[in-house]
């Protein structure tokens, strides 16, 4: 399920489908390769225990959780491609975002392998709504399209994928204090993701969406029951 946080619109996922008229075959392949790498990474990180959901009082363990990647910046380039994509679709389509001149930088980073400007960086935060709602890391997850606003005094975009919120700083004024310095990923193989209770608020409207779409979700995930009929 794709949830468009800016408009409240929901639709079925188009993952794996060719974006006709938006990307050439070569660029679609580049973004697809980054997407595959990102999904594999997030699938691995979802298995990291960040709280306790049974065997006593439920609890979340906030902090930084270390992980390693084989090559730096793959997730950064993936995130840039996602923002470019949603800034390039027709403004009448749900999910369109306005990001201004940074769009050209995003295109160069994702599709031309260009250097990542000082104005762009990424950090990962565990989506605690997804963590609490889905028991099995292999279960179906929602995808929330990008939003753009200011966080920690900097212009930031974020979207949700695979049980994580991916934040992208797109601001010339340096790192945002919305995340610890060690959480920013650019240029690193030894990385950290953030666990913070604030993530529940970011996707708080998803809970309502899950209720609205229970019938569709039940077809994908047996843990969801269809809505009761009166």
């Amino acid at each position: 399920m794709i949830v468009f946080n800016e408009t409240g619109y929901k639709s079925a996922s188009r993952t794996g489908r060719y974006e006709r008229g938006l990307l050439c075959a070569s660029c679609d392949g580049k973004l697809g390769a980054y997407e595959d790498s990102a999904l594999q990474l997030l699938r691995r990180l979802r298995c990291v225990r960040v709280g306790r959901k049974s065997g006593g009082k439920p609890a979340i363990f906030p902090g930084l959780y270390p992980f390693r990647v084989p090559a730096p910046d793959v997730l950064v380039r993936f995130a840039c491609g996602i923002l470019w994509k949603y800034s390039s679709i027709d403004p009448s389509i749900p999910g369109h975002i306005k990001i201004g001149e940074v769009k050209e930088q995003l295109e160069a980073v994702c599709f031309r392998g260009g250097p990542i400007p000082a104005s762009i960086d990424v950090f990962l935060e565990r989506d605690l709504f997804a963590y609490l709602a889905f028991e099995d890391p292999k279960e179906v997850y929602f995808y929330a399209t990008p939003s753009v606003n200011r966080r920690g005094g900097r212009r930031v975009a974020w979207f949700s994928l695979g049980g994580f919120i991916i934040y992208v700083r797109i601001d010339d004024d340096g790192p945002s204090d919305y995340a610890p310095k060690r959480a920013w990923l650019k240029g690193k193989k030894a990385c950290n993701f953030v666990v913070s209770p604030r993530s529940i608020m970011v996707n708080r409207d998803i809970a309502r969406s899950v209720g609205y779409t229970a019938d569709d979700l039940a077809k994908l995930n047996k843990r969801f029951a269809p809505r009761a009929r009166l």
Side-chain angles (χ1 to χ4, degrees):
M1 178 178 69
I2 300 179
V3 178
F4 300 85
N5 276 337
E6 299 295 288
T7 63
Y9 181 81
K10 295 97 182 168
S11 74
S13 171
R14 292 180 56 85
T15 299
R17 300 184 189 176
Y18 180 71
E19 296 291 337
R20 193 175 301 279
L22 180 59
L23 292 171
C24 67
S26 175
C27 289
D28 190 69
K30 290 179 181 178
L31 182 55
Y34 288 140
E35 180 179 25
D36 288 344
S37 296
L39 291 175
Q40 290 179 27
L41 172 63
L42 298 182
R43 191 176 299 119
R44 173 164 61 91
L45 298 185
R46 280 202 302 270
C47 296
V48 175
R49 185 169 180 261
V50 299
R52 182 178 60 245
K53 294 190 281 186
S54 60
K57 184 178 180 181
I60 296 296
F61 308 140
L64 292 178
Y65 287 73
F67 67 96
R68 293 191 65 86
V69 293
D73 298 335
V74 172
L75 189 67
V76 176
R77 295 184 188 279
F78 161 71
C80 288
I82 293 297
L83 296 189
W84 179 89
K85 174 180 175 179
Y86 279 95
S87 68
S88 299
I89 60 177
D90 190 285
S92 65
I93 297 176
H96 173 78
I97 57 172
K98 296 179 180 179
I99 55 175
E101 295 179 358
V102 73
K103 178 179 176 181
E104 295 181 4
Q105 295 178 330
L106 298 173
E107 180 180 358
V109 168
C110 180
F111 301 112
R112 297 199 292 273
I116 301 171
S119 58
I120 294 175
D121 208 338
V122 167
F123 78 89
L124 279 177
E125 186 166 286
R126 187 67 163 98
D127 182 348
L128 293 181
F129 170 77
Y131 172 73
L132 295 169
F134 298 92
E135 190 67 30
D136 184 346
K138 297 180 181 179
E139 288 180 329
V140 173
Y141 281 79
F142 57 83
Y143 169 57
T145 59
S147 299
V148 182
N149 211 319
R150 297 187 73 80
R151 292 290 184 270
R154 301 289 185 267
R155 191 165 179 245
V156 173
W158 65 93
F159 57 97
S160 296
L161 173 70
F164 283 81
I165 304 169
I166 301 176
Y167 287 92
V168 188
R169 175 172 56 82
I170 45 176
D171 196 300
D172 289 323
D173 290 333
S176 164
D177 61 7
Y178 198 62
K181 290 182 179 179
R182 288 191 296 150
W184 296 98
L185 302 180
K186 183 168 60 177
K188 298 178 181 177
K189 288 186 177 181
C191 306
N192 294 275
F193 70 84
V194 177
V195 173
S196 171
R198 70 185 178 191
S199 70
I200 296 176
M201 297 301 295
V202 173
N203 284 324
R204 61 189 181 277
D205 291 337
I206 300 292
R208 192 178 307 123
S209 298
V210 169
Y212 291 156
T213 58
D215 291 345
D216 291 331
L217 289 173
K219 298 175 183 177
L220 301 173
N221 189 329
K222 294 181 179 179
R223 289 188 62 249
F224 289 97
R227 288 180 294 179
R229 305 299 181 186
L230 300 179

